[in-house]
Amino acid sequence: MPTNDGIVITIQETANLRLGIGYDSPSYTVHGVMIKDGIMQATLLGGDRSTGIHQKLWLGESVTHPGVGTFTLIDVTPVAKMPLRPGQGNYATFSFVPAPGFQVNPKLRS
């Protein structure tokens, strides 16, 4: 879903999301998705074989993967399982602004 600020993407813990076109395109996953002390947070991991990111973000914070684009954490959705533990499938939602020349998977634009 495109927005003025980028493409809204949601990633579930333990799932890999390929943002680009082709088998070697960078893929990303999240972990540590939670609301702690009323503040949404998630760690974004991924990239490609030569570069990558591993960044803990709080709501509204961004990280840039050079040549790919900028990810801004805009929401988290913990699943309704108690107690919540890492890897149970919580969701993190980002606004993704592609870097100039990065070819986004067309399925993410619809």
Side-chain angles (χ1 to χ4, degrees):
M1 170 168 70
T3 70
N4 291 340
D5 298 319
I7 301 166
V8 175
I9 57 170
T10 299
I11 307 172
Q12 184 178 19
E13 286 180 317
T14 71
N16 284 313
L17 173 68
R18 289 207 182 276
L19 287 178
I21 298 171
Y23 178 74
D24 288 337
S25 72
S27 66
Y28 299 87
T29 190
V30 293
H31 74 84
V33 177
M34 67 180 79
I35 301 172
K36 186 174 180 180
D37 298 326
I39 301 171
M40 296 178 185
Q41 61 186 25
T43 299
L44 179 66
L45 303 144
D48 53 38
R49 295 175 190 215
S50 61
T51 65
I53 55 176
H54 182 155
Q55 182 72 42
K56 185 175 187 175
L57 300 170
W58 286 266
L59 183 65
E61 290 187 327
S62 300
V63 62
T64 298
H65 185 175
V68 176
T70 300
F71 300 83
T72 302
L73 182 63
I74 60 173
D75 194 23
V76 302
T77 306
V79 294
K81 293 181 183 176
M82 297 304 282
L84 292 175
R85 292 183 296 242
Q88 283 189 311
N90 299 328
Y91 295 85
T93 302
F94 301 88
S95 174
F96 172 67
V97 177
F102 181 77
Q103 293 183 316
V104 175
N105 182 333
K107 293 178 183 178
L108 296 175
R109 292 194 178 269
S110 49

